Amino acid sequence: CGNFRLSLLLESNGGDSGPGPCPHDPFPRDLFSEGGGSDGIGGPQDPRGRITLRGGQFLVPLLPPQTMWLVRMRVPEPLLVRMYARELAAQPLVDIDFFVWDTADVVPSEDEPLHSSSGTLDHESALWHLQPDPELGSETVFTLGVRFSIVADTEEECRYVEFLLQSEVVEAVRESVLCRAPLPVPAMPQSHFSLTGSDGVSSFSDRYVVSPQVYEDAVYQEREDGVRMWFRYRMGVTVAVPQASFSAILSYGFLEDSFELRLSAVRVGDDNNNGEGGDGAEGADAGAASSPSQVVPLLLGTPTTDNSHSGSLGNYLERTLPAGEYVLDILEPMPTTPLPLNERCHHFSFGISLNAMGDVPYLMYVHPPSGTDMNPYEDLSIAVGFSSRICYPEPATVLSNAIRRAAIYLKPINTSAEDEILLQIFPSNIVYAEDRYSMVVTFGAFYLQDNQKYELEFAPNFFEDCDHNSVDVAAHSTALSHVYSFQTCDCSNRGNCMADESGVLVCVCESNFAGEHCEACAEGFHYAGSECLPDSHCEPDTCNYHGHCQDSGGNVHCWCDVGYATIGAEWCSVCSKGYEGYPECVEAREGVDRPVLCRAPLLPKELGTEPLLGYDGSLHMHDAFYLDPHHSVHSVTFQLQRESVIRVWAAAAPIDVDLFLYEVNAEGEVIGQDIDRSVASGVEESLYAVLEGSGRRYLISIAHASSSETPSLSHCPTLDMQLSIVPLHTLHTDMHQSVQSSDPLGLASTGLSYANASFCDSYRARLDDSTSSIDGKVFVYEYNGGGTSDLNIATQVPQLASTDDQFLLSFALDVRGDFPSGVRPIIDVQLDYQFSFGDVSLVLERRTEDHCSSSTPGLHHNCVIGRKILNGYRIRAAVQPEYRYTVWVYQAQARIPAVAACSPFSVRASVSAVAEPETLWTCAYDRLPHSLNSPEYMRDGAIHVRDDFFVGKSSQILLSVDEESLFRMILQASGDIDAQLFSHDGDLVPFEYLGQSTAELFASLHPGNYTIQIDHWLDRLEEEEQFCQPVRTEIALSPFAVTAEATARCATFSPQ
């Protein structure tokens, strides 16, 4: 195949876009109704009053000499409104003024306006803060007026005006100008620019910002009226050549600011000028420090719309300057908006160009000379200025010649040579200014690529002045690289990219999708393959009255009663395996197989194998192990060669579990009494002992009720158990090295460790003197809105638990503030310690006096017990404001002095405000990957993953298959789980469904793209413990070629 590019150019001498000899767009009557005339140019307003209206083909009426356009606008809430108009003519003949009335019915000659703006002859710009009428509310209507006054006679029939209007909710604009760290460096342009030779000077950045600090250093009082305050930032300009071309342009937010540029000359020793007498030339080296200097204004900038950023205004200056000293001011009268500079960060771009003038015409400026984070979904317009009038090519042929001769184009950066040619972009339009000293080059958004950088290229000898001198495009400051980089916006082909108030691209998703990249289903929709379909809901007969209907995922699913199963689309419509007699299914006669499926790990019977104690005599294991309800005792044996510490911990289980530790002989018979036991009822169980080595054998007995006494259990009951065996010498060595490496309180020189009582006493004494202790302190979290910072607390050095302490440490958290609906305070506390040292635990209490003992009434309402994690405990809970919560760290099990006189632990806690807290909970388990095609999971087209993952309410996994492959996935959860496999053609791949808490996908896949849809139902409790349950997952993908090869090897396998 061959790549090619086609460019089509249509040239025309004009055409009618409206009736009469002057084609034009009619000016709208109102901005809020469908028939008001704003359709097609940005209207109508949305329900909040927002609109961006832009038109450049409005006809100025030449008779009578003064005309008023009136347009009505709805103001349902406080709005910022900017109006801008400019006559599109080289010789302006029209004076433009703006007016605002706070009523819908206006007689301009009789009614006094609320606001007015009368400024420069051919253009006008005004920014207003409009408030709705308290009585009318959202029905408030204002009238805006644009007045045209003809100030000179003309024989032209057609004169046009460019008109822009934008409105935005005040709070949204305030949010867009909040100061966000880090601020750009430098924040403002450099203070001085000097042109000393033929090498031009050029500077540009679109990342400048007026911060409150800059504002404080730059405000002054205008001396002409002595009243109005101005923001002013002054830069010095030195021209050390006979004559120079000077240009400067500043762009700023359309609704945020009203910046101006002013160029002034610095006069030394001249007492007869009419400038700002006595105002020194800050930022400019006047060259005569002993002579009085005065600043004489020369030129004010001209407002314009910014060609490079929609929603921006510009202010530009162009002038030929003789040698001398000048100052360039950035100005803004204060206050001009409800967004004062001293409270917000106002971003702007600024560029300046200085070039020595000679006989050869040259490029004076390119604006913008570069750009970052630009919007690829809007046309890129670049203004280019020349030092001489351009006569060739002619306006009618400049575009076609530029494309044919590749005279102006955007070259992609960081692409191959072949792609560079294919991806280069030619202009879609080139328009000269009427004086032919500048032009605007437009590149269509259709060709711009997101996440791409382009460099603007000029061909030499293309533009010529009227004496046929070629424009030099490489000898001056504009020869610098002009690079434009565009933002990335990926809406997953489910929405459109649009710029928000701050110019950042965001996805506006189709109605059934949501998320930052439109990657999720919107509320009321659920995934079906790659599509989001409207949610369906349970009906009384959905499960044929033989099951529980679940529709929380938007997709109806039935969990059938015991003995019932689903075939096809009819839920619970047949008897399951081992049952008969539908619709009243009963157990089948003896001899019929009954399904049993449980993938919980089994506790080993012997710990001395190589993967366990056989490697180095140490062992630490933690898992939810299978608890066989049909056998009342499970025994685990092991042999020790060295004196060791054993610790066993078991969580409270659905049936009562007791733990025993014995010494046994070689035949497994118990010797003497038990070494340790734990026989509490309905709570955690724990064993803790120091055991002798020298080949002695031991037995851990896990006893629970027999099947006849067992309450109703799931088909796969488990026991959360942690077991650690560590040689005592190894433990003491590790404790000593811990002190030597960290030494938080300067005790390494003692040569002792936590195993020694003297060390513990010294450590405790220095700890008590430490000012960083959190013990006994009260910390306050005050919520005051979106700007509230999280409260973070942590022990700065390890704390101590010793043999005689029960309550080791406590601190209080006061949670205050008026939390809005949907926002909850979250307390997160984590305790870290060494499991082998004993048990240090956590409890969070509210309004209790006895530390949440079992006698406390309403224990589950006022107390949260720490959840066991590896080497620690954690509490994460959504709490209620206006309460004091106390965190207690306590020793839940008596310490063994032979193990350690004391042991270190650390605590950290935080309080934060979270919207929709049900989305907050995270786990120690990884989330399922978004795609299985990353190198982490797939290699050479094959996958084999086995792990515990956290699965939320609904998850999707993408899978791309390049060749015929065999796919298998098994999910086992503590709650209900469902999995489906879809091809991206929309077809459901047949799969095998195994039960409520287990799902299996097993299929042969053709090359293509697939989506795995997993729905997982869990109760959303306020504590994380019940929420964060792992899903045991195994995934395998094997190309058929590999499978066939393995099968062939298997057929010829020999035990030899």
Side-chain angles (χ1 to χ4, degrees), residues 55-79:
Q57 196 72 0
F58 293 125
L59 183 66
V60 178
L62 301 182
L63 290 174
Q66 192 173 84
T67 307
M68 177 81 77
W69 289 349
L70 297 178
V71 58
R72 293 183 299 159
M73 178 180 189
R74 183 163 288 160
V75 183
E77 53 185 295
L79 297 177

Side-chain angles (χ1 to χ4, degrees), residues 93-146:
L93 302 175
V94 181
D95 181 28
I96 305 172
D97 303 308
F98 292 152
F99 302 89
V100 177
W101 291 270
D102 57 357
T103 181
D105 299 318
V106 172
V107 179
S109 61
E110 300 177 5
D111 297 330
E112 187 71 20
L114 179 67
H115 302 292
S116 64
S117 176
S118 303
T120 312
L121 177 67
D122 64 331
H123 63 266
E124 192 64 55
S125 178
L127 179 63
W128 291 306
H129 183 197
L130 304 185
Q131 298 272 7
D133 187 299
E135 296 182 1
L136 297 177
S138 61
E139 298 301 317
T140 301
V141 175
F142 280 63
T143 299
L144 311 178
V146 184

